[in-house]
Amino acid sequence: MYSRHSSPSNLYLGEALAAMEGTESANTTASGMGAIAPAILQLCQAGDHIVSSRTIYGGTYAFLKNFTPRFNIETAFVDITNLEQVEASITKNTKIIYCESVSNPLLEVADIEALSKIAKKHNLKLLVDNTFSPLSITPSRWGADVVFHSLTKFINGSSDTVGGVTCASQEFINSLRDVNDGANMLLGPTMDSLRAASILKNLRTLHLRMKQHSRNALYLAKKFEADGLRTVYPGLKSHKDHELFKKMMNEEYGFGGMLTIDAGSLEKANELMELMQERNLGYLAVSLGFYKTLFSAPGSSTSSEIPMEEQKEMGLGEGLIRISIGLDNDIERTYQMMNQCMKDIGILK
Ligand SMILES: Cc1ncc(COP(=O)(O)O)c(C=O)c1O
């Protein structure tokens, strides 16, 4: 076959990721969006309908909100934790339920098993973006039909590439690669094979990295919460989906490396992030899953595609800081330094 269809290195990486996600097969792509957009287009015709979580990555949101309507594919955005609302939004034209296992940036947890039951009942496909929780959650175990990752994040782990993957049945992966009507074959979001080889090398250490990301994030989340900061982390008992995450999780990998805190206002959020960067605690950057801690204010960056009104409605406050916790060896020292930054800008006494 021609290399846009497949190449040995892409197939090796795909095999490893399919094994990790417990699916029959996988197809690697040049970016996360390069996996998500073609899979949706493969499953939907003009006139079809999608039910999607409203708390998803801004690019996916923009694709469903602004791009697919050009092909007369409409999306109902719902609170994915409200299963009644999900089911009530299904129409006779619905083909897909779309969500993120742990949502960006609000860290809501989708009940994949319950969503899968609804999907099966209505003969729909359940598509789950698992970018925030590799290894911790295995969506296919709970009934997801298609699982995506932006490999750009934890899986590659060194913020030096862009990549994506679609993990699914052999039948669906074959349909994406079909030379006559496969969206991946025809739209061409193929991963470069040298890049596939380098991501496969990084994948070898993902299990150790995820354990450390999770350990450090849990430590900091507990400390921040005890300090009185509004902290959202699925590993905290105060998280509304804590028990659900616990039910789904592969315990040894923990609750993941992402947490959010609320600095009260965008000004304070920016001040804190700039100070933490200055003191070498991490970088002000929109990506995640790096060895260094990364922080951003999602309302004005990664979720800026979502209109302000809708951000407010879903609880995405201006002062929200999304933090991807790094692999720091001495997390107690990191905490002390972050705590000092918070005191210095006046959000803690
Ligand atoms: C949860 C999630 N899914 C998908 C994507 C898109 O991935 P990529 O940037 O590799 O296209 C991102 C990127 O930020 C993301 O955070």
Side-chain angles (χ1 to χ4, degrees), residues 31-33 36 57 100 104 129 131-132 150 152-153 162-163:
S31 71
M33 284 311 295
I36 295 164
Y57 165 61
E100 295 176 1
N104 179 20
D129 180 339
T131 299
F132 274 31
S150 165
T152 316
K153 314 291 161 37
V162 184

Side-chain angles (χ1 to χ4, degrees), residues 30-36 56-60 98 100 102-104 129-132 148-153 161-164 286-288 302 322:
S31 71
M33 284 311 295
I36 295 164
I56 51 174
Y57 165 61
T60 313
Y98 186 92
E100 295 176 1
V102 179
S103 79
N104 179 20
D129 180 339
N130 199 30
T131 299
F132 274 31
F148 302 108
H149 280 280
S150 165
L151 303 177
T152 316
K153 314 291 161 37
T161 192
V162 184
V286 294
S287 197
L288 51 120
T302 47
R322 184 187 81 177

Side-chain angles (χ1 to χ4, degrees), residues 266 270 273 286 296-304 308 311 316-318:
L266 183 59
N270 284 334
M273 291 191 291
V286 294
S296 61
S300 53
S301 59
T302 47
S303 295
S304 59
M308 206 40 106
Q311 290 193 23
L316 210 168
E318 270 190 348

